[in-house]
Amino acid sequence: FSLYSRAHGHDVAAFEPNKVMFLRVCESLQYNNWENDNTVSLWNYGLGAQAGSFNLTTGNNPGGSSFHEDRLAPKFRKKMTVEVATLDSVAIQEGWLDRQVSLLKVDVEGFENFVFEGGKRLIYNGNVENIFMENSIHNITVVGEMIDMLYDAGYRLNEIRTVNGDPYHEDWWPTFNPMLEERAKHENNDE
């Protein structure tokens, strides 16, 4: 998504704690002659609720690494220690609190709530226009608290879909956002 956004003329800030994936992104930037044009800022660490060193578990798919070990098949699990910063610390360092951010994309394999927790200042200041996230948290309480925080910051859910494009836990929608419940009713009436 980072490279796709850059290809469409957007400035990109990306975080990749997995050394293998970080190297792949660097190679793609070099291949496209973008490594020195100041349009892509790339950090080799993850984001979370607090800064520190964390164990990142990798498996056969380097893009599916997670801070949650149980998300990967036991026989393929490998751990690497990576650094983690908070989104707010980077936002302050980079001046994002004083400018518009078109899109914040979060795809962190079950660590979404921690990224948002560590980015409350940026999220609440109103400068992030859109948040696109791939949620892979299965606990409705954790998801609900995360959505509540985003709602409190002024965001509204547009839709929740599974990786296959199907509606994601439609029975949860009314607890998150009345707009989603109305959309589900409308879609069901159209069938």
Side-chain angles (χ1 to χ4, degrees), residues 132-137 143-144 146-147 151 156-177 179-181 183-184 187:
F132 179 87
M133 74 174 208
E134 180 180 302
N135 174 49
S136 54
I137 299 171
V143 173
M146 181 174 59
I147 300 300
Y151 260 74
R156 297 297 175 257
L157 290 176
N158 187 24
E159 62 185 357
I160 305 173
R161 300 280 175 179
T162 67
V163 90
N164 297 323
D166 300 319
Y168 179 79
H169 288 285
E170 283 182 289
D171 54 319
W172 295 3
W173 289 11
T175 65
F176 297 148
N177 179 344
M179 275 181 15
L180 290 175
E181 184 177 20
R183 177 183 281 184
E187 288 176 356

Side-chain angles (χ1 to χ4, degrees), residues 48-49 88 112-121 123 149:
D88 280 343
E112 295 83 5
N113 57 320
F114 296 108
V115 171
F116 290 131
E117 185 66 31
K120 280 185 174 179
R121 187 166 172 194
I123 291 167
M149 190 268 294

Side-chain angles (χ1 to χ4, degrees), residues 1 5 10-15 43 47 87-88 90-92 94-106 116 119 121-132 155:
F1 199 84
S5 294
H10 301 284
D11 289 348
V12 173
F15 301 86
W43 289 272
L47 296 174
L87 180 57
D88 280 343
V90 179
I92 291 166
E94 297 298 315
W96 298 340
L97 297 175
D98 302 319
R99 61 172 275 207
Q100 285 299 117
V101 175
S102 299
L103 176 67
L104 171 63
K105 181 184 182 287
V106 180
F116 290 131
R121 187 166 172 194
L122 177 65
I123 291 167
Y124 274 88
N125 85 348
N127 288 356
V128 177
E129 294 175 36
N130 299 285
I131 297 175
F132 179 87
Y155 296 94

